[in-house]
Amino acid sequence: MPDYKAPLRDIKFVMSELLDSEQHYASLEGAEDATPDMVDAIIGEGAKFCEQVLSPLNQVGDQEGCTWSEDGVKTPTGFKEAYQQYVEGGWPSMAADVEYGGQGLPNSVNLVMSEMVGTANWAWGMYPGLSHGAINTLESHGTEEQKQTYLTKLISGEWTGTMCLTEAHCGSDLGTLRSKAEPNSDGSYSITGTKIFISAGDHDMAENIVHIVLARLPDAPKGTKGISLFIVPKYLPGEDGSAGEKNAVSCGSIEHKMGIHGNATCVMNFDGAKGWLIGPENKGLNCMFTFMNVARLGTAIQGLSHAELGFQGSLDYARERLAMRALSGPKNPEGSADPIIVHPDVRRMLLTQKSIAEGARALIYMAAQQSDILHQGKTEEERQAADDMMGFLTPIAKAFLTEMGHESANLGVQVFGGHGYISEWGMEQNVRDARIGMIYEGTTGIQALDLLGRKVLMTQGESLKGFTKLVHVFCKENADNEQMKEFIEPLQALNKEWGEITMTIGKNAMKNRDEVGAASFDYLMYSGYAVFAYLWARMAKVALDKMAEGTEEEAFYNAKVETARFYFKRLLPRSRGHVAMLEAGADSLMALPEDQFAF
């Protein structure tokens, strides 16, 4: 398993130079503590924890996995102790409300920590990661009593949280869920039902687990309009606020999975468990979207994490592994062979990984800043614009980045050759851990329908226009910059085509609704490559300007420009294939009768 090293220089580049985080934080309400020195110190300390504590446990978690018993789930060696260090360091409270024990820092600072935690040890990071969503849900929809009882404990990290949506028969189709909530005389509810695939549903790392559960009230309307949201703790809070009597909720079993073995994926049984309503009756799905949107951006980080870990492992190996001679002549004449990094095909794989990881970082940090504005913007107009932009970017970030992160993880195996297939090197674990990213929190197909159907077509293209306007302004500002011509010309053409493709799909969908589903995956992937093109062009501009001014970091900025060139010449052309496929229409998918799929 490669030793994780936090990419602090690139993190600083994206935050400070590309996205001007100092000015961004100064523009927010209540973000006075997010000074450059404070942010740098937080990220530096976070990097040490991830490198020294979490990374060494990554392979341990994969090999040991979690163990189930009637007394509860036990996590792998070292996980519980690492969590205690995490709590003692104050990490769970970083971006939470000061009124309930948080530090009040912007969410984008917290997401940098989430990136480092996830790359060092994704399975471990899911335990505190699920708590962020529970915190946001309670902050947005909980009563004051619920906040004092549960939110304070979640923010301190003493308790952790989960989201309990999925049931065996319904998967992502939540309108058919069957879990029931019967009112009790004391104002609470009796929750009965079984939930599956509940990440971090049970463990031994914290003294209590707060489940956020979807269930139906008696006589609730059918479908998604009849779903309510409840708090169901593993242990009922005592009068002093501590974890008290065991509630009627238990882990029936844990799944035996392809990857992320160190995180318990649980079947949770609610047998008349006591719970409390969050938000209005029958509006649970609306409230849950607060949780789900946070989770989706968190899953986008998984794509970045596996791309970064795959790249770090591949690069170290490619520099050390000797095999064959360079076609252009020996590069290591004193040795028996040349390091494989000299071979063009290995360079193709490494640069693909590098451009994916660094592009993903830029996209996630950009979306995170929109999240900051949504929660801490000074005007309603700012907050609404950020909400619209985040709504557009979230399905792209979640789906495109997990698809690309898995590709990068696979390339890690390929760079290692036969050694990549062997467990001790960690590259095959990275692939297995990455694979779930395209499935949970809404599959790639669901995210694609959300982007094209709900976010773009149902808004008459307004959400798309919000982003393409950014691209248009950037291209206009750099139209006369000769150094930027190689990036601006293809970006302008792509931006124009994006709108044209959207209009064509919309017209076709008016005749046949299947056209939306037929085009959605390729439309999302096209959109991802387009967003990356914009971000890589911006990164190239920053780097070129720095080199023109004169800098002691010439090599760093030159690497940015060369990676941008690689992206535009080697990865962006993939968008042409997606155009051809989405233009093929629904007939190419739907014409074959079901009974002719196999004979």
Side-chain angles (χ1 to χ4, degrees), residues 303-515:
L304 163 58
S305 294
H306 294 302
E308 177 66 35
L309 191 64
F311 173 60
Q312 289 192 15
S314 298
L315 181 59
D316 287 346
Y317 186 79
R319 284 170 165 166
E320 297 173 0
R321 170 69 167 167
L322 303 180
M324 301 181 290
R325 291 293 186 187
L327 297 175
S328 55
K331 300 297 185 288
N332 178 36
E334 303 298 321
S336 59
D338 289 332
I340 63 173
I341 197 170
V342 306
H343 302 309
D345 192 56
V346 174
R347 289 292 186 101
R348 172 188 65 81
M349 293 186 282
L350 291 172
L351 283 165
T352 298
Q353 292 175 307
K354 179 177 171 64
S355 62
I356 289 171
E358 294 176 12
R361 184 169 295 114
L363 173 52
I364 288 170
Y365 289 16
M366 179 185 180
Q369 285 195 348
Q370 297 302 308
S371 174
D372 290 343
I373 298 168
L374 175 61
H375 292 99
Q376 296 176 264
K378 293 181 178 178
T379 68
E380 178 59 32
E381 185 179 6
E382 282 182 317
R383 293 192 292 271
Q384 185 58 56
D387 193 22
D388 293 341
M389 182 63 71
M390 196 171 177
F392 175 74
L393 290 176
T394 296
I396 297 173
K398 192 280 177 185
F400 183 72
L401 296 189
T402 54
E403 293 280 347
M404 299 298 280
H406 188 250
E407 175 183 344
S408 184
N410 271 310
L411 289 175
V413 173
Q414 195 70 13
V415 169
F416 275 73
H419 292 291
Y421 204 64
I422 304 302
S423 297
E424 66 185 272
W425 293 93
M427 290 294 98
E428 60 86 31
Q429 179 191 334
N430 197 39
V431 173
R432 290 186 287 104
D433 288 351
R435 186 60 186 85
I436 188 62
M438 297 101 89
I439 299 172
Y440 58 12
E441 307 309 334
T443 63
T444 299
I446 287 173
Q447 300 297 327
L449 279 173
D450 179 49
L451 173 67
L452 179 56
R454 184 177 293 113
K455 302 295 171 55
V456 176
L457 295 180
M458 286 179 66
T459 66
Q460 304 297 309
E462 287 303 312
S463 61
L464 173 63
K465 290 175 188 175
F467 190 85
T468 56
K469 184 178 180 181
L470 291 179
V471 180
H472 174 75
V473 170
F474 175 77
C475 290
K476 188 175 180 180
E477 290 173 347
N478 292 279
D480 298 325
N481 187 334
E482 195 63 30
Q483 280 190 305
M484 287 293 293
K485 185 177 180 180
E486 62 183 301
F487 307 115
I488 296 301
E489 288 186 352
L491 183 58
Q492 278 181 317
L494 197 72
N495 205 41
K496 180 174 181 290
E497 182 183 53
W498 205 353
E500 293 169 349
I501 287 170
T502 304
M503 288 182 64
T504 299
I505 297 170
K507 290 178 181 177
N508 292 340
M510 292 176 70
K511 301 174 185 176
N512 180 1
R513 298 289 291 178
D514 275 342
E515 293 291 344

Side-chain angles (χ1 to χ4, degrees), residues 107 110-111 114 122 125-126 128-137 161-165 199 287-303 364 371 375 390 394-395 397-399 401-402 436-443 447:
N107 189 47
N110 194 53
L111 281 176
S114 295
W122 185 262
M126 289 177 69
L130 270 296
S131 297
H132 294 313
I135 289 168
N136 288 338
T137 301
T162 74
M163 54 193 300
C164 296
L165 289 73
S199 299
C287 297
M288 182 61 92
F289 270 113
T290 302
F291 202 143
M292 290 169 67
N293 285 331
V294 172
R296 285 171 177 171
L297 193 55
T299 309
I301 292 174
Q302 185 170 11
I364 288 170
S371 174
H375 292 99
M390 196 171 177
T394 296
K398 192 280 177 185
L401 296 189
T402 54
I436 188 62
M438 297 101 89
I439 299 172
Y440 58 12
E441 307 309 334
T443 63
Q447 300 297 327

Side-chain angles (χ1 to χ4, degrees), residues 113-253:
M113 184 63 180
S114 295
E115 178 205 330
M116 295 189 294
V117 167
T119 313
N121 191 330
W122 185 262
W124 184 93
M126 289 177 69
Y127 291 102
L130 270 296
S131 297
H132 294 313
I135 289 168
N136 288 338
T137 301
L138 282 165
E139 282 181 337
S140 299
H141 307 291
T143 65
E144 184 59 31
E145 183 181 359
Q146 289 169 349
K147 290 176 181 180
Q148 292 295 343
T149 302
Y150 299 100
L151 188 56
T152 53
K153 296 288 190 179
L154 288 166
I155 286 173
S156 71
E158 295 170 78
W159 298 357
T160 62
T162 74
M163 54 193 300
C164 296
L165 289 73
T166 306
E167 298 178 11
H169 63 282
C170 66
S172 297
D173 186 8
L174 295 174
T176 61
L177 71 82
R178 297 171 184 159
S179 293
K180 297 178 181 180
E182 298 282 347
N184 295 322
S185 59
D186 63 358
S188 67
Y189 294 81
S190 179
I191 311 298
T192 302
T194 298
K195 302 288 185 176
I196 66 167
F197 301 157
I198 308 306
S199 299
D202 196 46
H203 56 80
D204 58 356
M205 288 165 55
E207 64 182 28
N208 202 1
I209 302 171
V210 180
H211 302 289
I212 307 296
V213 184
L214 288 178
R216 291 186 182 281
L217 292 166
D219 303 320
K222 293 182 179 180
T224 57
K225 294 181 180 180
I227 298 173
S228 298
L229 191 63
F230 300 87
I231 304 172
V232 185
K234 178 178 179 179
Y235 294 99
L236 298 170
E239 291 185 5
D240 62 354
S242 64
E245 179 187 350
K246 178 76 167 65
N247 202 358
V249 54
S250 62
C251 174
S253 64

Side-chain angles (χ1 to χ4, degrees), residues 69-122:
S69 74
E70 291 185 0
D71 296 327
V73 173
K74 185 177 184 298
T75 54
T77 301
F79 271 44
K80 182 177 182 178
E81 291 75 14
Y83 184 72
Q84 293 308 309
Q85 290 185 53
Y86 182 78
V87 172
E88 289 165 7
W91 298 109
S93 65
M94 193 158 54
D97 192 333
V98 174
E99 185 177 352
Y100 301 101
Q103 299 174 48
L105 289 167
N107 189 47
S108 57
V109 180
N110 194 53
L111 281 176
V112 177
M113 184 63 180
S114 295
E115 178 205 330
M116 295 189 294
V117 167
T119 313
N121 191 330
W122 185 262

